[in-house]
């Protein structure tokens, strides 16, 4: 008997790999078109799975790490489509597709069962909190990929351009992180009676915010290109630890994620 | 000295230190780090840095927001000849939603287009929000918090520290219910209660998870629930005989072993008796009103199940300040997303010649220079 749900869950991973392969040759028009098609399909599959899960749950699928990652995959596929047309740099497409593939592989390893939401999660704050977290993480992932390219190249006009993009994305990501922290704190006050409990997820979300705040302040102080890129990479390492590391290594109030 | 205290350099040092300390809490004892003097000192310094920075920048910021075309700073560079016509400049301003002011000096007319005033203000609003949040966090420390376990229908004295901080004396739980959604899953728990002061009732309300009762500085949260069993225990000793509210799933000692009580459905209980070696020697189901003769002439009469609710009572005014900071921080975040600040001064000579001065940074400056057909030679591209 074919497990259709599991089969559907493999689609984002397969399509991310296809996008990476086609993206590697995306300097050529045919390969670029192919990469765009696979990325569009990847987005549609990720969004489709989310719709199906939403129908099963009877609400927006936002209450587990798996759902969060599926949202991330969908948004990152959209970014890939945008960057394929805008930047025309195969390496960026390949790196971003690899990031999606890693995320999609992790999604596959998770329990796909739809579980009823705990009463504490049944709050209007859930949507704003999780969606702002997801959007900030996706924006910061793209910024990280651009910084990764910057540190592997000699400083030139291209790195200047990538640096400006990476900066603008952090400029977008930090306010979203702020919204995530603020809405999370307000929600925690209503649900747990305390807006800040020094839970590990909270601590590391704060560390993430501080690192990106540092990035922006150092840019005002003149940090550009490789210097700024290294700090941006460190920021993303903190994002990854906050999402995966804390969930696996430091359980707390957010351990259902 | 004041310059350093309000500087970005100090801000960078303090932000990095705070991040480093938060990371160190993962390795060392979390509570020790966040309540330690060095951490509080760094937060204090950060507050001073942010406050002095915000205060020192306010006059310049106000001036920048109020200025007209002739106040454009020298750093914005000299007017540069543009190939654009007056019409195309006006069309550009309209298309990109610049607020435009016009002025005249002799025969020469000036246009001053500005946009992105809100994004310009955003970082300062965010700084102000952080200051308010820190003040609120300090105020929160003066608040009091306590937990109560109250069974349905019972009345209890509120914990001493809450009674001292408020006029409350007692809390009565009128009902405690589990609410279910359409699929039959637990949706929430609701406690309905009445509050009493020294002279009688002072208020009533209900509380659910995510929907606490809030009035004045008092908050009551639905934190949990549990079940006990109201029983009458009769032994040969008057000292141990009497009414008890035994908890579920806990060992209750007997002379030669112990027993455990478990819920069976909504009303009944399961009595399980064990010997000293932990071997089960008896198992009985009891409905409310039923009793059991135990060994050594003891007797247990089951009266009723007691569902109790766990409430957290909190009193303090810091949360309001913190929430005000949160609202401001969220507002600043949206303001940051509204684009970037740019100001354009345009000189229109009677001959029809157009010259432009820019006050913008980075790619925004380059984009403006391109659209307004000037070759921007100033070095304000950072």
């Amino acid at each position: 008997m074919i497990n259709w749900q599991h089969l559907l869950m493999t689609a984002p991973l397969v399509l991310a790999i296809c996008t990476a392969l086609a993206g590697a040759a995306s300097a050529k028009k045919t390969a670029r078109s192919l990469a765009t098609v696979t990325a569009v399909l990847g987005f549609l599959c990720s969004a489709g799975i989310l719709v199906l899960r939403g129908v099963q749950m009877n609400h927006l699928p936002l209450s587990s790490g798996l759902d969060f990652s599926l949202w991330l995959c969908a948004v990152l596929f959209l970014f890939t489509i945008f960057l394929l047309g805008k930047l025309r740099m195969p390496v960026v497409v390949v790196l971003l597709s690899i990031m999606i593939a890693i995320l999609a592989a992790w999604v596959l390893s998770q329990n796909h069962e739809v579980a009823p939401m705990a009463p504490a999660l049944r709050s209007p704050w859930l949507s704003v909190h999780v969606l702002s977290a997801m959007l900030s993480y996706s924006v910061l992932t793209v910024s990280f990929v651009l910084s990764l390219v910057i540190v592997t190249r000699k400083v030139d006009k291209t790195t200047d351009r990538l640096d400006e993009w990476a900066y603008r994305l952090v400029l977008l990501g930090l306010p979203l992180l702020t919204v995530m922290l603020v809405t999370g704190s307000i929600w925690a006050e209503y649900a747990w009676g305390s807006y800040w409990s020094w839970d590990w997820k909270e601590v590391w979300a704060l560390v993430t915010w501080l690192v990106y705040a540092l990035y922006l302040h150092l840019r005002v102080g003149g940090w550009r290109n490789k210097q700024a890129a290294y700090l941006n990479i460190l920021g993303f390492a903190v994002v990854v630890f906050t999402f995966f590391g804390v969930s696996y290594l430091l359980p707390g109030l957010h351990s259902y994620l | 000295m004041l310059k350093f205290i309000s500087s970005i350099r100090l801000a960078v040092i303090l932000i990095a230190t705070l991040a480093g300390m938060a990371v160190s809490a993962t390795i060392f004892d979390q509570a020790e780090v966040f309540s330690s003097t060095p951490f509080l000192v760094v937060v204090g310094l950060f507050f001073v840095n942010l406050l002095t920075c915000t205060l020192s920048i306010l006059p310049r910021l106000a001036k920048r927001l109020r200025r007209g075309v002739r106040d454009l700073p020298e750093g914005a560079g000299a007017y540069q000849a543009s190939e654009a016509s007056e019409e195309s400049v006006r069309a550009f301003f309209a298309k990109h939603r610049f607020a435009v002011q016009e002025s005249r000096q002799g025969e020469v007319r000036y246009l001053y287009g500005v946009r992105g005033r809100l994004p310009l203000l955003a970082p300062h609003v965010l700084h102000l929000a952080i200051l308010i949040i820190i003040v609120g966090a300090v105020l929160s420390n003066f608040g009091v918090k306590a937990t109560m376990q109250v069974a349905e229908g019972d009345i209890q004295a509120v914990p001493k520290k809450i009674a001292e901080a408020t006029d409350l004396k007692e809390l009565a739980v009128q009902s405690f219910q589990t609410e279910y959604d359409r699929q039959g899953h637990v949706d929430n728990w609701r406690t309905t209660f009445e509050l009493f002061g020294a002279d009688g009732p002072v208020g009533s309300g209900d509380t659910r998870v995510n929907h606490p009762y809030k009035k004045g500085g008092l908050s009551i949260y639905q934190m949990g629930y549990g079940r006990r069993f109201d029983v009458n225990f009769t032994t040969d000793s008057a000292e141990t005989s009497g009414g008890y509210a035994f908890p579920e799933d806990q060992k209750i000692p007997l002379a030669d072993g112990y027993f455990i009580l478990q819920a069976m459905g909504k009303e009944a209980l399961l009595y399980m008796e064990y010997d000293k070696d932990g071997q089960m020697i008896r198992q009985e189901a009891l409905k409310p009103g039923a009793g059991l003769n135990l060994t050594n002439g003891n007797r247990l009469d089951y009266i009723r199940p007691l569902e109790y609710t766990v409430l957290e009572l909190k009193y303090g005014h810091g949360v309001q300040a913190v929430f005000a900071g949160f609202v401001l921080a969220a507002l600043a975040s949206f303001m940051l997303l509204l684009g970037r600040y740019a100001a354009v001064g345009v000189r229109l000579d009677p001959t029809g010649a157009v010259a432009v001065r820019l006050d913008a940074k980075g790619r925004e400056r380059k984009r403006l220079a391109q659209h307004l057909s000037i070759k921007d030679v100033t070095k304000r591209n950072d």
Side-chain angles (χ1 to χ4, degrees), chain A residues 120 122 164 189 193 195 198, chain B residues 30 140 181 187 221 314 363:
Chain A
R122 298 177 183 221
E164 176 70 20
E189 167 64 28
Y195 57 86
W198 296 110
Chain B
Q30 193 185 25
S140 296
D181 62 18
D187 183 48
Y221 302 88
K314 201 167 86 172
R363 286 184 73 85

Side-chain angles (χ1 to χ4, degrees), chain A residues 162-222:
Chain A
L162 293 177
D163 184 51
E164 176 70 20
W165 275 63
Y167 165 60
R168 283 181 166 230
L169 286 166
V170 173
L171 215 51
L172 183 64
L174 190 70
L176 289 167
L177 276 180
T178 311
V179 172
M180 174 198 77
L181 279 174
V182 163
T183 52
S185 297
I186 295 173
W187 182 15
E189 167 64 28
Y190 280 95
W192 300 324
S194 176
Y195 57 86
W196 196 264
S197 315
W198 296 110
D199 169 59
W200 290 121
K201 207 73 163 182
E202 291 172 358
V203 171
W204 279 89
L206 179 66
V207 173
T208 310
W209 191 89
L210 287 169
V211 172
Y212 284 106
L214 196 64
Y215 173 92
L216 291 185
H217 283 82
L218 285 169
R219 274 198 84 96
V220 175

Side-chain angles (χ1 to χ4, degrees), chain A residues 57-58 116-125 160-161 164-165 167-168 171-176 178-179 181-182 185-195 197-200 203-204 206-207 209-211 213-214 217-218 220-221 224 241 250, chain B residues 8 11-13 15-16 18-19 22-23 25-26 28 30 34 39 126-127 130 136-137 140 145 181-183 185-189 208-212 214 219 221-223 312 314 319 322-323 326-327 329-330 333-334 336-337 340 362-364 382:
Chain A
M57 293 175 189
N58 218 13
M117 261 205 301
L121 294 178
R122 298 177 183 221
S123 161
W125 291 106
D160 282 351
R161 191 171 165 220
E164 176 70 20
W165 275 63
Y167 165 60
R168 283 181 166 230
L171 215 51
L172 183 64
L174 190 70
L176 289 167
T178 311
V179 172
L181 279 174
V182 163
S185 297
I186 295 173
W187 182 15
E189 167 64 28
Y190 280 95
W192 300 324
S194 176
Y195 57 86
S197 315
W198 296 110
D199 169 59
W200 290 121
V203 171
W204 279 89
L206 179 66
V207 173
W209 191 89
L210 287 169
V211 172
L214 196 64
H217 283 82
L218 285 169
V220 175
R224 294 287 183 280
F241 186 78
L250 306 164
Chain B
I8 283 192
V12 163
I13 294 168
I15 292 171
L18 283 173
V23 172
T26 311
F28 305 108
Q30 193 185 25
F34 295 123
F39 182 78
L126 189 57
H127 287 171
I130 295 169
S140 296
K145 215 177 200 183
D181 62 18
R182 270 181 286 176
Q183 282 80 39
H185 303 127
V186 174
D187 183 48
N188 216 321
W189 297 281
R208 290 182 296 149
V209 176
N210 283 319
H211 304 276
K214 282 186 181 278
S219 305
Y221 302 88
Q222 178 66 56
M223 297 302 281
E312 185 170 276
K314 201 167 86 172
V319 174
V322 171
F323 271 31
F326 283 161
V327 171
S333 302
F334 287 116
L336 270 171
L337 297 176
R340 294 175 84 171
R363 286 184 73 85
E364 181 71 5
D382 46 359

Side-chain angles (χ1 to χ4, degrees), chain A residues 3-257:
Chain A
N3 185 335
W4 287 104
Q5 197 183 6
H6 196 77
L7 201 65
L8 191 61
M9 285 281 190
T10 58
L13 173 62
V14 172
L15 289 163
I17 294 169
C18 292
T19 310
L21 292 173
S26 61
K28 290 177 186 166
K29 200 182 170 187
T30 321
R32 191 162 61 245
S33 304
L34 188 63
T36 309
V37 169
T38 53
V40 169
L41 287 174
F43 166 73
L44 291 175
C45 281
S46 311
I49 298 167
L50 282 168
V51 170
L52 286 177
R53 288 179 69 80
V55 170
Q56 281 178 294
M57 293 175 189
N58 218 13
H59 54 78
L60 266 181
L62 294 166
S63 55
S64 68
L66 180 143
D67 295 320
F68 186 91
S69 304
L70 278 169
W71 280 95
L72 264 180
C73 284
V75 176
L76 288 176
F77 270 122
L78 282 182
F79 267 113
T80 309
I81 298 162
F82 175 73
L83 291 174
L84 268 163
K86 194 84 179 172
L87 267 185
R88 307 233 166 145
M89 286 187 71
V91 64
V92 171
V93 176
V94 171
L95 286 172
L96 200 51
S97 306
I98 289 172
M99 300 298 294
I100 303 172
I102 292 169
L103 209 55
W106 183 79
V107 165
L108 270 182
S109 73
Q110 296 300 293
N111 181 7
H112 301 163
E113 293 289 317
V114 171
M117 261 205 301
L121 294 178
R122 298 177 183 221
S123 161
W125 291 106
L126 174 79
S127 312
V128 197
H129 176 61
V130 178
L131 287 176
S132 56
M134 182 276 299
L135 282 175
S136 67
Y137 283 12
S138 57
V139 163
L140 296 172
T141 305
V142 181
S143 183
F144 157 75
V145 164
L146 300 180
S147 289
L148 215 53
V149 176
I150 292 169
V151 297
T152 55
R153 291 174 68 111
K154 276 187 180 172
V155 175
D156 57 11
K157 276 193 170 177
T158 309
T159 57
D160 282 351
R161 191 171 165 220
L162 293 177
D163 184 51
E164 176 70 20
W165 275 63
Y167 165 60
R168 283 181 166 230
L169 286 166
V170 173
L171 215 51
L172 183 64
L174 190 70
L176 289 167
L177 276 180
T178 311
V179 172
M180 174 198 77
L181 279 174
V182 163
T183 52
S185 297
I186 295 173
W187 182 15
E189 167 64 28
Y190 280 95
W192 300 324
S194 176
Y195 57 86
W196 196 264
S197 315
W198 296 110
D199 169 59
W200 290 121
K201 207 73 163 182
E202 291 172 358
V203 171
W204 279 89
L206 179 66
V207 173
T208 310
W209 191 89
L210 287 169
V211 172
Y212 284 106
L214 196 64
Y215 173 92
L216 291 185
H217 283 82
L218 285 169
R219 274 198 84 96
V220 175
W223 279 36
R224 294 287 183 280
N225 274 305
K226 296 206 179 204
Q227 269 181 317
Y230 281 120
L231 186 57
N232 198 9
I233 290 168
L234 173 72
F236 186 72
V238 177
V239 167
V240 172
F241 186 78
T242 306
F243 185 52
F244 291 107
V246 173
S247 302
Y248 283 111
L249 303 172
L250 306 164
L253 290 168
H254 287 77
S255 50
Y256 43 78
L257 276 180

